[in-house]
Amino acid sequence: PRRCTTMASIPFTQKPKRTETDMLVSEILAIKGKVLFTIAPNRPLAEAVEVMTEQDVGSLVVFSRGAMIGMLTFRQVLQAVQTGGADWQAMSVDAVMLHNPLVAAPDMEMDELRRLMVEHHQRYLPVMDGTTLLGVVSFHDVAKAVLEEQSFENRMLKNYIRNWPESEGEER
């Protein structure tokens, strides 16, 4: 499987000062909730597929000795099915998972998160605060947050227009 670089090797440009309308990754996690589904690297791929199907999730965080060591997404599962043939179910999670996935920080702005996801073709990003895993954000979570933010702004603008003060001297 294709390997991605870690966060430390991604060049970042100087960001403009944050405005009140910028949504942070931590806010996306707060909206979505912080439920995590994990699996050990030595487990068979069939077990991972069972968990993903039962929980209706597209990714699992791979944990070993209390630390995240990788991600397993439906993309890696499909690649394993294609390369493993009839024996794909017995393959270990470790053999097919994404090692050292890109990660997001809780204080990362949503625009930077979207850029990172699109540029590196990664639909799921673990959110790390130092060595602590806070959750996983998906491209779906980001899209949902954008829609909610736009809906809120739209309601605020409509309310502002509806309550526009009449100018003095205007006839009714």
Side-chain angles (χ1 to χ4, degrees):
R2 183 178 71 107
R3 305 287 184 228
C4 288
T5 58
T6 59
M7 190 70 132
S9 63
I10 300 171
F12 288 97
T13 57
Q14 183 73 23
K15 290 193 240 177
K17 188 172 181 172
R18 184 173 187 270
T19 65
E20 290 181 20
T21 59
D22 294 334
M23 185 176 278
L24 298 177
V25 169
S26 59
E27 294 168 316
I28 296 171
L29 277 180
I31 291 168
K32 131 179 205 165
K34 296 181 180 180
V35 176
L36 283 173
F37 296 99
T38 64
I39 194 159
N42 62 342
R43 304 307 305 158
L45 195 53
E47 183 180 323
V49 169
E50 184 178 334
V51 171
M52 291 169 82
T53 304
E54 286 175 359
Q55 300 302 324
D56 192 27
V57 293
S59 69
L60 296 175
V61 179
V62 184
F63 261 85
S64 180
R65 297 184 183 114
M68 181 189 72
I69 61 167
M71 288 281 296
L72 180 71
T73 71
F74 63 87
R75 178 176 287 135
Q76 284 80 43
V77 171
L78 288 174
Q79 289 171 344
V81 168
Q82 196 267 331
T83 59
D87 298 327
W88 72 267
Q89 295 181 14
M91 296 173 79
S92 71
V93 168
D94 185 57
V96 299
M97 73 180 190
L98 181 62
H99 294 265
N100 301 314
L102 294 173
V103 299
D107 61 348
M108 180 183 280
E109 293 175 5
M110 185 168 49
D111 287 343
E112 181 68 14
L113 175 69
R114 286 190 302 201
R115 184 193 64 77
L116 193 63
M117 293 174 105
V118 168
E119 285 181 4
H120 294 276
H121 201 60
Q122 195 166 327
R123 294 180 185 171
Y124 301 90
L125 281 181
V127 180
M128 302 289 291
D129 187 7
T131 58
T132 304
L133 178 65
L134 300 177
V136 175
V137 290
S138 68
F139 208 77
H140 177 265
D141 299 330
V142 173
K144 186 176 176 182
V146 167
L147 285 174
E148 288 180 13
E149 185 178 45
Q150 288 174 344
S151 176
F152 175 75
E153 288 174 0
N154 192 334
R155 285 192 309 272
M156 296 300 286
L157 286 171
K158 284 180 179 177
N159 187 45
Y160 180 75
I161 292 168
R162 200 173 13 256
N163 296 317
W164 190 276
E166 291 183 31
S167 299
E168 290 182 29
E170 278 188 9
E171 292 184 26
R172 292 184 181 211

